[in-house]
Amino acid sequence: MKLKQRVAVLALLLVILVLTKLLLLDRLETSAAQRQDQLSFERMMSGLRLTMDSRLEHTLQSPWEIASQWVVPREVYPEDSPEMGAVLHSMATKKIVKADVGYKGTQLKALLVLEGGQKVVFKPKRYSRDYIVEGEPYAGYDRHNAEVTAFHLDRILGFRRAPLVVGRYVNLITEIKPVATEQLLSTFLKQGNNTCFYGKCYYCRETEPACAERELMEGTVTLWLPEAWPLQKHRHPWGRTYREGKLARWEYDESYCDAVKKTSPYDSGPRLLDVIDTAIFDFLIGNADRHHYESFQDDEGGSMLILLDNAKSFGNPLVDERSILAPLYQCCIIRVSTWNRLSHLKHGTLRSALLTATAHDPISPVLSDAHLDALERRLQSILATVQQCIGQFGADVVMVEDRMTFTHM
């Protein structure tokens, strides 16, 4: 064999060896990522059932201090949070020391301060579990049980971007009125034997109060995020116009995602993938009302999209509002870790996990069977959408490896 031929053969062998090594390394890395996601899923499943009692491992700290220390730029609470049950128990039972009208917004709520100085947002029950909200996908009052469900779904999906929520029964006469501000007291009234209030908000009306059963009102409380982490509000790039006959650009422009990718903070960093995670989350719960979203201030696009205010969810279990998924099917990208988690939740696992996670809650059962069925159906639709993207663009384009981890101190 001539020298040139030998050199060519050796060069070819070298290329083959390099490519083989790269392929093996890629497979090893993929395998390691899959193992990491599998272990994370198993840890989540083993920790789903929470014990609602007051025991804390760190007895020198209050539950509010513990929850405050959990917050970091990419998580509201850590993956391993054995004291979650104790914190939720405190939210559901601690004495109310002050009650006021809720912060600005369109829906009725009350701002409560619990013993120890912790703020929580109280949302009252407006509908029975099997009530179907007709009309637009964002129609109707807030659903208090939706907040509980959304929080636990956030745990199940491994996002950890939703503030803590728990159900709570409050006695409006003995727990609220003695510590209520004049502004809140002025909205109290009676309807028959039931005590009611209508609060202060954009859509709050004296003719549409929330009423207790006599004095006892079912609702949920959401933990106020620490003041050390101020929020910044952003208009959602896939927000609706809320005007009849007027479409938002994303509703008619097939190349809309390309335009979004050229604007800050979606042109770099994790924010666009957060928006797509949120679209998946919102489609599962049926929330078509995320016209704005919050992140932490001065984050330069690095902090998470915080899953606040999920109460316009679980309105109609018979309707799957596909437009909620627009960020996913228009951009056709998804985090590998999100895809792996969704894949683990197939075949009834999501339903089972949610029932386990919410079984401890004071207002359990939090969802009707029809809504649980809808969750399973919507999960299959998400998986099919991703598969369609893969068929069109290939897995290498659709699947994005983005594992931003922040250590809790």
Side-chain angles (χ1 to χ4, degrees):
M1 187 180 292
K2 294 181 179 180
L3 181 61
K4 286 184 179 181
Q5 290 176 321
R6 290 179 180 177
V7 170
V9 170
L10 287 171
L12 180 61
L13 288 172
L14 183 61
V15 169
I16 292 171
L17 285 171
V18 169
L19 289 174
T20 303
K21 185 176 181 181
L22 288 173
L23 182 62
L24 288 172
L25 284 173
D26 183 59
R27 287 181 176 176
L28 283 171
E29 288 175 3
T30 302
S31 178
Q34 288 176 338
R35 287 197 300 272
Q36 178 183 337
D37 289 339
Q38 177 68 38
L39 289 171
S40 178
F41 175 75
E42 291 171 359
R43 286 193 297 268
M44 179 278 296
M45 290 294 286
S46 65
L48 268 181
R49 187 178 295 278
L50 301 174
T51 303
M52 289 281 286
D53 61 35
S54 58
R55 289 176 291 179
L56 293 170
E57 290 185 6
H58 301 288
T59 54
L60 297 179
Q61 290 182 304
S62 74
W64 319 135
E65 290 172 324
I66 291 170
S68 177
Q69 290 170 6
W70 283 343
V71 180
V72 293
R74 296 291 307 171
E75 292 179 343
V76 174
Y77 53 91
E79 181 180 32
D80 183 23
S81 48
E83 292 176 321
M84 177 76 77
V87 175
L88 294 176
H89 178 267
S90 297
M91 291 167 61
T93 60
K94 285 286 187 183
K95 182 180 178 181
I96 300 166
V97 297
K98 184 180 179 181
D100 200 355
V101 294
Y103 56 88
K104 292 180 181 180
T106 62
Q107 297 289 313
L108 172 60
K109 59 187 76 71
L111 177 61
L112 308 181
V113 180
L114 305 183
E115 186 178 15
Q118 178 62 51
K119 293 180 182 178
V120 295
V121 176
F122 177 79
K123 293 190 176 181
K125 176 183 177 181
R126 306 299 296 260
Y127 301 117
S128 63
R129 298 291 190 272
D130 57 358
Y131 183 89
I132 294 178
V133 180
E134 303 283 358
E136 298 290 345
Y138 44 83
Y141 301 122
D142 275 359
R143 277 75 81 176
H144 73 300
N145 57 312
E147 292 282 17
V148 173
T149 309
F151 164 63
H152 289 288
L153 180 63
D154 176 67
R155 294 175 59 212
I156 291 166
L157 292 174
F159 293 161
R160 299 189 290 279
R161 301 172 203 158
L164 277 61
V165 183
V166 70
R168 178 162 181 161
Y169 289 93
V170 297
N171 189 305
L172 295 182
I173 301 300
T174 62
E175 291 186 272
I176 300 297
K177 291 190 80 172
V179 296
T181 62
E182 287 298 325
Q183 191 175 26
L184 180 58
L185 279 175
S186 68
T187 73
F188 272 68
L189 52 87
K190 280 275 197 178
Q191 285 192 352
N193 292 324
N194 298 328
T195 301
C196 313
F197 77 99
Y198 58 91
K200 298 282 185 181
C201 70
Y202 188 80
Y203 290 124
C204 289
R205 304 285 187 271
E206 185 175 354
T207 54
E208 301 179 31
C211 294
E213 293 188 10
R214 293 188 178 272
E215 301 174 0
L216 195 63
M217 176 173 276
E218 178 182 319
T220 56
V221 289
T222 301
L223 195 69
W224 198 273
L225 289 170
E227 293 182 2
W229 294 89
L231 300 180
Q232 181 175 351
K233 195 170 187 176
H234 310 265
R235 182 176 293 279
H236 196 296
W238 276 269
R240 301 172 189 277
T241 65
Y242 296 88
R243 294 165 60 186
E244 187 175 352
K246 183 170 177 58
L247 298 177
R249 180 179 168 184
W250 61 268
E251 294 179 281
Y252 61 83
D253 184 354
E254 293 183 2
S255 63
Y256 179 73
C257 184
D258 293 333
V260 172
K261 289 177 180 179
K262 296 174 183 176
T263 61
S264 179
Y266 311 105
D267 54 349
S268 63
R271 187 62 56 81
L272 181 58
L273 288 166
D274 282 1
V275 168
I276 291 166
D277 280 349
T278 303
I280 290 167
F281 177 81
D282 283 340
F283 180 70
L284 285 169
I285 65 179
N287 177 21
D289 195 42
R290 204 174 294 280
H291 43 81
H292 289 80
Y293 68 84
E294 286 81 14
S295 69
F296 293 128
Q297 278 186 12
D298 303 322
D299 62 344
E300 298 181 352
S303 89
M304 61 189 162
L305 189 164
I306 303 168
L307 297 174
L308 282 174
D309 198 5
N310 303 302
K312 279 294 180 72
S313 310
F314 300 105
N316 191 337
L318 307 177
V319 173
D320 299 339
E321 183 55 52
R322 182 164 171 77
S323 64
I324 301 171
L325 274 184
L328 174 63
Y329 61 69
Q330 289 183 351
C331 297
C332 266
I333 57 173
I334 186 174
R335 282 188 170 101
V336 173
S337 56
T338 299
W339 170 254
N340 288 341
R341 179 58 57 95
L342 292 171
S343 299
H344 287 315
L345 292 169
K346 293 187 296 186
H347 309 308
T349 303
L350 175 58
R351 181 192 188 107
S352 175
L354 199 52
L355 287 171
T356 299
T358 58
H360 74 284
D361 196 274
I363 66 167
S364 180
V366 296
L367 280 186
S368 67
D369 283 339
H371 282 298
L372 290 167
D373 291 341
L375 278 164
E376 289 292 324
R377 186 178 67 244
R378 291 166 187 165
L379 173 60
Q380 293 305 314
S381 182
I382 293 166
L383 295 173
T385 299
V386 176
Q387 291 289 4
Q388 187 176 4
C389 285
I390 292 172
Q392 185 175 359
F393 299 106
D396 290 345
V397 173
V398 176
M399 298 293 174
V400 180
E401 188 60 70
D402 177 49
R403 297 166 191 269
M404 299 185 67
T405 304
F406 288 76
T407 303
H408 288 265
M409 300 302 290

